[in-house]
Amino acid sequence: MSINNHIRNYYEQLVAEEILRRLHGQSPAVSIEHMADIACVALNRLPPRYIRFEVDMAFFMTPDELVQTNNRVIEAVTEAIAFVEKHRREEDE
């Protein structure tokens, strides 16, 4: 029996959504591998917040904390995009 399918990091979905929002429609299209690199860098800049259900966070966070969380995600993704662009591998270009 594994618990891996029952827990997740709250920030994963928020980071993925922010990356897609920011990179949507770029030409040339950004690869999944490039977005995954950005997500890993961004997630490593955020504190882990493990949950079982999305409602867990909504129930325990105040509106101000939700705004702060969103701002942290935007900042982490912004920094991650810059970091990954600066450290791109030749085969990614």
Side-chain angles (χ1 to χ4, degrees):
M1 175 182 218
S2 174
I3 64 170
N4 290 345
N5 295 332
H6 299 280
I7 60 172
R8 68 181 184 89
N9 183 338
Y10 175 69
Y11 285 109
E12 288 175 2
Q13 185 65 34
L14 297 176
V15 166
E17 289 171 0
E18 180 63 15
I19 290 169
L20 290 173
R21 186 186 72 74
R22 296 280 290 279
L23 301 181
H24 177 74
Q26 278 198 353
S27 183
V30 178
S31 71
I32 294 295
E33 290 81 14
H34 189 79
M35 287 189 275
D37 287 344
I38 293 168
C40 288
V41 173
L43 287 166
N44 282 324
R45 293 172 186 259
L46 294 164
R49 302 285 305 258
Y50 291 100
I51 60 171
R52 289 190 61 208
F53 306 104
E54 194 76 29
V55 71
D56 292 347
M57 289 304 286
F59 180 75
F60 290 109
M61 293 176 77
T62 67
D64 285 342
E65 289 173 319
L66 288 170
V67 169
Q68 289 174 353
T69 295
N70 189 50
N71 289 340
R72 279 189 216 116
V73 168
I74 291 169
E75 182 178 330
V77 170
T78 299
E79 292 172 359
I81 290 170
F83 181 88
V84 170
E85 281 298 315
K86 184 177 178 182
H87 296 90
R88 273 188 110 157
R89 298 179 295 262
E90 284 183 29
E91 62 268 14
D92 291 343
E93 294 179 16

